[in-house]
Amino acid sequence: MAAAGAACGGDASRAPCAFSPGGRRSLALCGPDGRLRVWDTPSSRLQHEYVPSAHLSAACTCLAWAPPGGRQFPSKEGPRRKKRKSEAAEAGEQFDLLAIGTAVGSILLYSTVKGELQSKLDGGHDNRINCVRWHQDNGCLYSCSEDKHIVEWNTQTCKVKCKWKGDNSSVSCLCISPDGKMLLSAGRTIKLWDLETKEVYRNFTGHATAVSSLMFTTVRPPNESQPFDGITGLYFLSGAARDRLLSVWQIRSDRKDKNAVMSFTVTDEPVFIDLTVSESKEEPVKLAVVCRDGQLHLFEHILNGYCKKPLTSNCTIQIATSGKDSDATPKPVPILAAAFCSDKQSLLLVYGNTLQPIIERVSLNTTESHVCLIRDVQKTMALQTEMSVTKVKTPVVNKEAKVLVPGIPGHSATIKSQSSGMQKLESKRKPGDKEDSIEDRLGAMDIDTVKIKTKGGLPQTDSFAVLLVQGLESNDPVILNKVLQTRKEALIKNTIAKIPVHAVIPLLHEITKRLQGHPYSASHMVRWLKSVFTIHASYLSTLPDLVPQLGMLYQLMESRVKTLQKLSRLHGKLYLIITQVAALEKIQDATDINQTAKLVYEEESSEDGSEDEMIADKDSDENWDEDEEKGEQSDEEEKGEQSDEQEMAIEKEINGESDLDPENESEEE
């Protein structure tokens, strides 16, 4: 008994695929173009190809084949024989049913026998479907979504049978127990539900990221002496996104132990897991894990309790090209899926690309720790193409009809029929004419941007957009240099606006590579980078893996900006020093200049007048002082004369000379 399943969890970059149960006769694979393809594994031929009507808006997110055996009806009355015949027909149809989960919340049921869509399940989810699982007994379908709910569907009536909330965040994966009574669900934590009561039976720790894989590894408990209730003692396996450890859990009777009992380590995130279920205590579990890096790891271990150290793979398988024909170095070929065959001694390997995969049966050899298979992928694909019957017909093109090439803007050349072109060439050729050399033909095919001019003399933005896309697809440095050396802002914006969205990421990679070069070219590339982020921001925001794709650009910008503050401080200090040195040099140069006047204004008279006035003022002050002194002297002399006269009068009176005439007195006075 084997169980296989692609990792759930809703990774847009991963192509959902699933092997049909009961012999691995078919492989359902949904490619990046939204088409569902069913391949026959023994012959590697395409059996069915289905294109959903809304495959662009509602992409396929998960796949699940209906289990063999169909539905079991509990009727016990007389006419049950008649019912069993109809039920057997329904079971046969259900064996070929394929459930397809979509990104808008609907589930499609595709019949590989009829080759058409049988029914559509709507109304259960309103967000992306992460995982779908069939019940092995009653034919019910279980689904989980980003809307945090789990839905049980009745596939006969296409209606919701039961719906309940599975987690506080999105539910990413489901798995039904071997007895069909329990359901495992996982977001980040893992829960075990009772399908009858829809109640949580056990809780487990889970992973740090969203769980992408869940499957039971045993159908019987290790201790067979104790009574078995259908679930206690069983082991199950879980893997998570961006987690290199696969954890193994055991459902125990006590509720205390919620941690994993052992783990397997791989080289990268698991993409597809297949295992052989252990049906007894002595039988080991064989595990095949396909990782995102394209390697396959094989494990073989007996589950017998707790193991602290992570277990490494017994064998690692890789596929590479021979490297003898055109390529000198071998190139790795990614493995997409792997499944154990019914004998458990051989593997089905699916490798190559999702549009044209190669399916090969390989015998197991776990004695070697590393096996590298050399395969010529191109030759194998060519043989498959020749063997398969193609239904593609070349359309007959009318001479008067004008057919435009879709896709890249600016391509508006008409498609001419090959026969008319050959007739024209034959009619033009003459026996004496020489055939053009290959160099002349290549020179005529050369596209030069200078030749494509508008009336104003500037190249057209249509031609620039076409040249840019051609340069990115062919990785031609000449064309890229001609386009990316443009400095006009308007031309850059128009060119970026007219390129298709599939060329945005390659253009960002090319700009990132040029940003690491010379600083002059880096400053020029910033204009293109700004236009890309401004015009195509809405498209870039829809990419789920944008951060890893632009990781180099983020690191480059952080490293450049990290030194900006230090450089600004250094620039300020150097600017202060340089200005001070320049000021000192100016002062020193100014002392050496001859300061003799070339022209003198005659303003000395005014200065002399002021000096004379000052001298005159001084003289007047001195004269004023002398006059005061003279006045004082005259007053003193007058006082001295009066005192002398009084003395003389007294002497006269004494001497008898007082009887003088009044006239004489007046004369004397």
Side-chain angles (χ1 to χ4, degrees):
M1 182 178 179
C8 305
D11 189 353
S13 63
R14 183 187 301 124
C17 59
F19 286 94
S20 62
R24 308 287 195 262
R25 296 286 303 176
S26 300
L27 171 67
L29 183 64
C30 189
D33 55 352
R35 298 172 181 263
L36 173 67
R37 296 177 176 87
V38 181
W39 303 85
D40 182 41
T41 54
S43 61
S44 297
R45 290 186 178 181
L46 182 63
Q47 287 182 333
H48 302 278
E49 184 172 1
Y50 171 65
V51 184
S53 58
H55 67 285
L56 296 178
S57 60
C60 173
T61 57
C62 52
L63 298 171
W65 288 89
R71 303 178 64 183
Q72 295 180 358
F73 292 85
S75 58
K76 297 181 181 179
E77 301 299 329
R80 68 177 181 178
R81 185 176 299 172
K82 187 175 181 180
K83 284 185 178 180
R84 278 190 173 180
K85 290 182 181 179
S86 61
E87 288 159 9
E90 290 178 1
E93 291 181 0
Q94 191 180 13
F95 173 73
D96 295 311
L97 279 182
L98 187 63
I100 307 170
T102 62
V104 294
S106 60
I107 300 175
L108 309 177
L109 298 182
Y110 178 76
S111 174
T112 57
V113 175
K114 299 178 181 179
E116 61 183 12
L117 186 67
Q118 180 166 318
S119 56
K120 184 178 181 180
L121 308 180
D122 271 331
H125 298 287
D126 56 2
N127 208 331
R128 179 190 183 92
I129 303 291
N130 287 332
C131 186
V132 288
R133 289 289 181 264
W134 291 88
H135 197 282
Q136 58 265 34
D137 296 330
N138 58 17
C140 291
L141 185 69
Y142 294 88
S143 62
C144 63
S145 171
E146 294 282 336
D147 60 3
K148 310 175 186 178
H149 287 82
I150 302 172
V151 176
E152 181 181 3
W153 299 88
N154 188 340
T155 56
Q156 299 299 322
T157 61
C158 299
K159 293 182 179 180
V160 176
K161 191 175 180 180
C162 185
K163 179 178 179 180
W164 70 96
K165 187 175 181 180
D167 205 336
N168 293 327
S169 59
S170 62
V171 185
S172 57
C173 198
L174 296 175
C175 182
I176 300 173
S177 63
D179 62 350
K181 296 180 180 180
M182 296 288 179
L183 175 70
L184 279 172
S185 71
R188 292 186 179 177
T189 60
I190 302 173
K191 296 179 181 180
L192 182 64
W193 300 85
D194 188 348
L195 288 179
E196 292 184 2
T197 62
K198 305 298 186 295
E199 294 180 355
V200 178
Y201 182 73
R202 290 285 188 277
N203 282 307
F204 299 92
T205 306
H207 296 261
T209 55
V211 176
S212 59
S213 303
L214 276 178
M215 55 185 63
F216 279 90
T217 59
T218 56
V219 295
R220 299 291 300 174
N223 190 2
E224 298 180 355
S225 60
Q226 297 180 357
F228 180 53
D229 59 355
I231 195 66
T232 303
L234 297 186
Y235 291 91
F236 67 90
L237 179 78
S238 69
R242 299 182 296 278
D243 193 349
R244 296 190 299 110
L245 287 179
L246 298 173
S247 301
V248 178
W249 315 78
Q250 187 178 19
I251 303 172
R252 300 184 180 182
S253 57
D254 56 339
R255 297 173 179 266
K256 295 181 180 179
D257 195 359
K258 300 180 181 180
N259 298 324
V261 294
M262 65 179 64
S263 59
F264 300 99
T265 178
V266 292
T267 56
D268 203 347
E269 176 186 351
V271 181
F272 193 93
I273 301 175
D274 183 38
L275 56 85
T276 60
V277 178
S278 175
E279 298 180 358
S280 64
K281 182 179 179 181
E282 293 79 13
E283 183 181 2
V285 174
K286 293 184 179 180
L287 186 65
V289 183
V290 178
C291 296
R292 186 178 288 276
D293 56 4
Q295 299 186 39
L296 171 63
H297 300 278
L298 300 177
F299 299 87
E300 186 174 350
H301 186 72
I302 298 176
L303 303 179
N304 55 2
Y306 184 76
C307 182
K308 185 177 181 180
K309 186 177 180 181
L311 302 176
T312 57
S313 61
N314 297 4
C315 180
T316 302
I317 298 177
Q318 286 181 295
I319 299 178
T321 59
S322 59
K324 293 181 180 179
D325 299 334
S326 58
D327 298 330
T329 58
K331 293 183 179 180
V333 179
I335 300 176
L336 305 177
F340 288 99
C341 297
S342 56
D343 58 355
K344 299 183 181 180
Q345 300 299 324
S346 56
L347 273 174
L348 279 176
L349 294 182
V350 182
Y351 57 91
N353 56 41
T354 56
L355 299 178
Q356 184 72 31
I358 301 172
I359 306 173
E360 181 182 352
R361 183 167 180 168
V362 179
S363 59
L364 289 177
N365 183 15
T366 57
T367 57
E368 298 181 7
S369 60
H370 192 91
V371 177
C372 184
L373 304 177
I374 305 300
R375 297 290 184 269
D376 193 348
V377 181
Q378 299 296 333
K379 185 180 293 185
T380 307
M381 291 177 62
L383 290 175
Q384 289 181 0
T385 307
E386 291 177 1
M387 292 172 62
S388 61
V389 179
T390 178
K391 297 181 181 179
V392 179
K393 294 183 180 180
T394 305
V396 179
V397 181
N398 191 6
K399 295 180 180 180
E400 298 178 357
K402 182 179 180 182
V403 183
L404 302 181
V405 180
I408 303 173
H411 281 196
S412 57
T414 58
I415 300 176
K416 299 180 180 179
S417 61
Q418 188 176 2
S419 59
S420 62
M422 293 297 294
Q423 291 175 0
K424 288 182 180 180
L425 288 175
E426 290 176 358
S427 62
K428 287 182 179 179
R429 288 180 183 175
K430 296 180 180 179
D433 293 343
K434 293 182 180 180
E435 187 176 357
D436 294 336
S437 63
I438 297 177
E439 183 179 0
D440 296 337
R441 294 180 184 178
L442 292 176
M445 293 170 61
D446 186 18
I447 302 175
D448 193 359
T449 57
V450 181
K451 297 177 182 179
I452 307 174
K453 297 276 186 176
T454 58
K455 295 181 179 180
L458 294 176
Q460 297 179 359
T461 54
D462 288 347
S463 63
F464 260 56
V466 173
L467 286 175
L468 183 58
V469 174
Q470 290 179 352
L472 292 173
E473 291 178 352
S474 62
N475 200 13
D476 191 347
V478 178
I479 298 178
L480 291 175
N481 289 334
K482 287 181 179 180
V483 177
L484 294 179
Q485 286 177 359
T486 305
R487 298 183 181 181
K488 297 185 179 296
E489 294 287 344
L491 191 59
I492 292 174
K493 290 181 180 179
N494 293 333
T495 303
I496 295 298
K498 292 191 176 185
I499 64 172
V501 291
H502 65 81
V504 174
I505 294 298
L507 177 59
L508 287 176
H509 291 330
E510 181 66 26
I511 293 174
T512 304
K513 185 172 68 175
R514 292 172 179 261
L515 282 173
Q516 300 175 5
H518 195 273
Y520 177 76
S521 62
S523 62
H524 183 56
M525 288 298 106
V526 171
R527 302 178 183 176
W528 288 88
L529 189 64
K530 180 181 177 182
S531 299
V532 171
F533 285 151
T534 304
I535 297 172
H536 295 284
S538 57
Y539 166 70
L540 293 173
S541 62
T542 60
L543 298 178
D545 55 346
L546 180 63
V547 175
Q549 286 190 1
L550 300 184
M552 183 65 70
L553 181 61
Y554 291 158
Q555 294 178 2
L556 184 64
M557 294 173 66
E558 287 179 359
S559 62
R560 292 287 180 92
V561 176
K562 188 176 181 181
T563 57
L564 178 61
Q565 187 176 6
K566 296 180 180 179
L567 290 175
S568 299
R569 292 178 181 175
L570 179 61
H571 178 267
K573 293 179 181 179
L574 291 176
Y575 179 75
L576 289 175
I577 294 173
I578 291 172
T579 51
Q580 290 178 1
V581 171
L584 290 175
E585 289 180 352
K586 286 182 179 180
I587 293 173
Q588 292 176 358
D589 294 341
T591 55
D592 299 336
I593 297 174
N594 187 9
Q595 296 183 355
T596 57
K598 294 182 178 180
L599 181 63
V600 178
Y601 292 96
E602 295 294 337
E603 294 181 354
E604 295 178 356
S605 60
S606 61
E607 292 178 358
D608 295 342
S610 61
E611 290 178 358
D612 294 340
E613 290 178 356
M614 292 174 66
I615 293 170
D617 291 339
K618 290 181 181 179
D619 294 340
S620 62
D621 292 339
E622 292 176 357
N623 294 331
W624 177 260
D625 294 338
E626 290 178 355
D627 293 338
E628 288 181 350
E629 291 178 356
K630 290 180 178 179
E632 291 176 355
Q633 290 178 1
S634 61
D635 292 340
E636 290 178 354
E637 289 177 355
E638 289 178 355
K639 288 179 180 180
E641 291 178 354
Q642 288 177 2
S643 60
D644 291 340
E645 289 179 355
Q646 288 176 0
E647 290 177 356
M648 289 176 66
I650 292 168
E651 288 178 357
K652 286 179 177 180
E653 287 179 356
I654 294 172
N655 296 324
E657 294 179 357
S658 60
D659 52 351
L660 292 178
D661 294 334
E663 297 177 356
N664 295 331
E665 291 178 0
S666 62
E667 289 176 358
E668 291 175 359
E669 291 178 359

